[in-house]
């Protein structure tokens, strides 16, 4: 039975190899039709560059961002605009800069070794920021309700060298999980006895990126942390990269005003100000929370069929004990676990058949998935036809590698 199935799968696989496909399921990029949704940004200012307070957005200055954009960031993040900085085109850059800004503080507090907690699977570019600064990474298990908070609490109390944790709290990259109320509450109440200067890097990149009618709800960490007296441990990040234009949107950061002011002083040595013209364009285009919601509905119409298709293809494996995968309510990814030891083999097979997948291990610090089983699937960028083919190749490789193991 298995032998016959292997022969059948091998012949399907050979046909894919022969077809000379060139398909890509790697990075979570918006498709061109999604980018088209924001074409109005170009020219929206129509010659009006002066703000109500008299600021000319074409000129230098104002690192904290224009009030209109800070308000927009407040609506996106769900927080008071006094807590928000509107910055440049990338939240990843802001996170990198925020870590660098904290280095001085951590060293002044006497830390020699620096360590970060990394819920896994997670976002590879968070890990490369740590690698860049020589910050050691410690894996924490990601569950359907967020990081394993018993582990987090225990580690943070046990090891004073731990100075931070990466979190993608909503529709997480790559699992799509959203942290539960209880998890957010426990983050807010993480005791101050933790490594001095501890920072929760709360990367809310997918705050408004719903796929289903039923939206996940995320507790407000800043408000809860303020109540618990731990708000100086919280730094929230977001951007419009996957709302308007990837790489040409506006990034935001939110934290307590005194910490924001200190970060502003750090930034002042490297910039006179961010792109305020783009900030104003975004404020006019998206307006407020309702405008963002309306716009994201258009994205959903474009990408929901892609997620549905990818999940339908995976569902054909459902009763075969081959893999497990997430079915997210939002975000940009599906996270799939093969049987232990098989992820790199599946990825290599798919690559030889012309389907590029994110390298095995990429969702773990140092590119090392200890069980070699996690694969991140990003269905947004290819067309439906391309995705259809790519998923056929992928599930063939997955079953073939499993049966051959
Ligand atoms: N955070 C997460 C979790 C992401 O998935 C991404 C995009 N892949 C980013 C940040 C990058 O955002 P930006 O374009 O604002 O730098």
């Amino acid at each position: 039975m298995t032998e016959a199935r292997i022969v059948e799968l091998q012949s399907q696989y050979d046909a894919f190899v022969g077809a000379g496909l060139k398909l890509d399921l790697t990075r979570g990029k918006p498709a061109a039709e999604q980018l088209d949704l924001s074409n109005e940004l170009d020219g929206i200012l129509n010659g009006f560059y002066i703000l109500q307070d008299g600021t000319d957005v074409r000129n230098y200055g104002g690192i904290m961002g224009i009030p209109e954009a800070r308000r927009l960031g407040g609506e996106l993040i769900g927080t008071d605009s006094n807590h928000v900085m509107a910055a440049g085109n990338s939240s990843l850059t802001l996170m990198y800069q925020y870590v660098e800004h904290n280095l001085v503080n951590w060293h002044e507090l006497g830390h020699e070794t620096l360590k970060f907690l990394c819920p896994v699977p997670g976002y590879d570019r968070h890990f490369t920021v740590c690698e860049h600064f020589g910050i050691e990474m410690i894996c924490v298990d990601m569950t359907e309700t967020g990081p394993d908070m018993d582990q987090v609490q225990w580690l943070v109390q046990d090891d004073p060298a731990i100075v931070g944790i990466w979190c993608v709290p909503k529709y997480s990259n790559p699992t799509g999980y959203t942290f539960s109320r209880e998890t957010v509450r426990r983050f807010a109440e993480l005791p101050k006895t933790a490594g001095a200067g501890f920072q929760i890097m709360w990367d809310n990149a997918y705050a408004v990126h719903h796929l289903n009618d039923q939206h996940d709800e995320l507790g407000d960490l800043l408000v809860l942390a303020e109540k618990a007296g731990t708000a100086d441990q919280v730094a929230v990040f977001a951007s419009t990269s996957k709302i308007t234009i990837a790489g040409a949107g506006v990034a935001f950061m939110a934290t307590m005003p005194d910490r924001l002011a200190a970060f502003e002083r750090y930034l002042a040595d490297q910039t006179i100000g961010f792109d305020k013209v783009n900030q104003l364009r975004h404020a006019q285009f998206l307006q407020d929370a309702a405008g963002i919601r309306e716009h994201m509905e258009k994205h959903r119409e474009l990408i929901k069929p892609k997620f549905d298709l990818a999940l339908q293809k995976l569902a054909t494996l459902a009763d075969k004990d081959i893999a497990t995968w997430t079915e997210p309510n939002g975000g940009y990814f599906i996270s799939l676990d093969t049987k232990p030891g098989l992820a790199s083999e599946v990825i290599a097979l798919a690559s030889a058949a012309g389907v590029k997948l994110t390298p095995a291990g990429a969702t773990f610090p140092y590119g090392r998935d200890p069980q070699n089983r996690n694969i991140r699937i990003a269905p947004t960028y290819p067309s439906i036809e391309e995705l259809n083919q790519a998923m056929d190749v992928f599930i063939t490789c997955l079953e073939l590698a499993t049966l051959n193991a």
Side-chain angles (χ1 to χ4, degrees):
M1 171 65 187
T2 305
E3 279 307 312
R5 182 65 182 149
I6 291 178
V7 170
E8 190 183 357
L9 287 166
Q10 186 65 49
S11 100
Q12 275 173 22
Y13 179 74
D14 293 342
F16 288 135
V17 173
L21 303 172
K22 227 172 161 264
L23 303 166
D24 195 333
L25 291 181
T26 55
R27 295 234 72 96
K29 294 201 286 193
E33 309 83 74
Q34 290 179 263
L35 301 171
D36 283 342
L37 297 173
S38 300
N39 286 349
E40 246 181 69
L41 270 171
D42 230 1
I44 196 168
L45 298 185
N46 219 2
F48 291 95
Y49 299 103
I50 313 297
L51 304 182
Q52 269 181 346
D53 67 4
T55 302
D56 184 336
V57 293
R58 296 168 302 180
N59 223 327
Y60 276 141
I63 289 179
M64 210 58 107
I66 62 171
E68 288 81 347
R70 294 178 72 188
R71 243 185 330 267
L72 180 70
E75 301 259 306
L76 174 62
I77 291 171
T79 194
D80 181 340
S81 65
N82 286 321
H83 295 169
V84 178
M85 165 184 285
N89 71 322
S90 163
S91 60
L92 186 67
T93 306
L94 270 188
M95 290 180 252
Y96 175 102
Q97 290 168 319
Y98 194 67
V99 169
E100 185 173 65
H101 162 60
N102 277 279
L103 287 180
V104 177
N105 189 27
W106 290 326
H107 287 131
E108 277 174 7
L109 287 165
H111 290 291
E112 282 172 15
T113 310
L114 298 173
K115 298 181 188 172
F116 251 63
L117 298 181
C118 300
V120 288
Y123 178 39
D124 54 350
R125 293 185 193 273
H126 287 161
F127 306 149
T128 47
V129 171
C130 279
E131 277 203 76
H132 178 88
F133 290 114
I135 298 172
E136 206 177 296
M137 290 177 272
I138 301 170
C139 295
V140 171
D141 295 328
M142 183 72 179
T143 76
E144 285 191 36
T145 57
D148 180 328
M149 291 308 289
D150 290 338
Q151 272 183 39
V152 169
Q153 208 149 345
W154 181 81
L155 283 163
V156 150
Q157 274 166 341
D158 186 60
D159 186 350
I162 296 173
V163 291
I165 181 169
W166 291 109
C167 295
V168 184
K170 192 160 178 187
Y171 304 137
S172 191
N173 179 350
T175 59
Y177 296 149
T178 297
F179 294 12
S180 68
R181 253 174 209 291
E182 173 67 3
T183 300
V184 178
R185 186 189 63 74
R186 289 184 69 176
F187 266 112
E189 292 171 10
L190 266 186
K192 284 274 204 158
T193 52
F198 186 77
Q199 289 297 301
I200 303 168
M201 301 289 287
W202 200 249
D203 178 4
N204 206 354
Y206 299 104
V208 291
H209 302 61
H210 315 291
L211 284 167
N212 293 330
D213 291 336
Q214 195 189 337
H215 299 177
D216 290 358
E217 296 292 338
L218 178 70
D220 188 334
L221 178 61
L222 260 184
V223 164
L224 292 174
E226 234 182 320
K227 278 193 198 136
T230 61
D232 57 350
Q233 301 194 136
V234 177
V236 181
F237 300 88
S239 81
T240 69
S241 280
K242 286 169 183 174
I243 298 174
T244 56
I245 311 183
V250 179
F252 304 99
M253 175 183 163
T255 185
M256 289 299 104
D258 58 330
R259 292 198 66 86
L260 217 46
F263 186 46
E264 184 187 18
R265 286 193 293 278
Y266 151 87
L267 287 169
D269 288 341
Q270 51 185 288
T271 183
I272 309 169
F274 296 104
D275 181 347
K276 296 191 298 303
V277 176
N278 200 33
Q279 291 182 3
L280 184 59
R281 296 192 311 153
H282 276 76
Q284 290 208 1
F285 181 62
L286 292 169
Q287 301 273 333
D288 53 18
I292 295 171
R293 239 186 339 267
E294 201 179 306
H295 186 73
M296 292 314 291
E297 194 51 42
K298 298 177 193 159
H299 279 285
R300 183 172 96 130
E301 279 170 26
L302 293 171
I303 63 175
K304 166 95 169 126
K306 295 182 180 178
F307 275 84
D308 287 347
L309 175 64
L311 290 169
Q312 273 162 26
K313 295 281 181 185
L314 291 172
T316 62
L317 302 175
D319 49 6
K320 294 188 176 167
D321 190 26
I322 283 176
T324 54
W325 56 88
T326 58
E327 297 188 7
N329 279 331
Y332 260 57
F333 304 100
I334 295 166
S335 174
L336 179 139
D337 282 331
T338 66
K339 296 270 179 202
L342 293 183
S344 48
E345 171 67 8
V346 172
I347 290 166
L349 279 172
S351 166
V355 175
K356 264 214 268 176
L357 289 157
T358 311
T363 51
F364 284 75
Y366 312 106
R368 284 199 300 266
D369 173 358
Q371 296 210 64
N372 185 20
R373 67 185 314 189
N374 188 250
I375 298 178
R376 186 181 82 165
I377 301 172
T380 54
Y381 187 70
S383 67
I384 285 276
E385 295 72 29
E386 288 168 338
L387 181 66
N388 193 30
Q389 263 190 328
M391 288 304 296
D392 281 341
V393 173
F394 177 64
I395 60 171
T396 303
C397 297
L398 194 52
E399 192 174 352
L400 193 57
T402 309
L403 295 186
N404 275 330

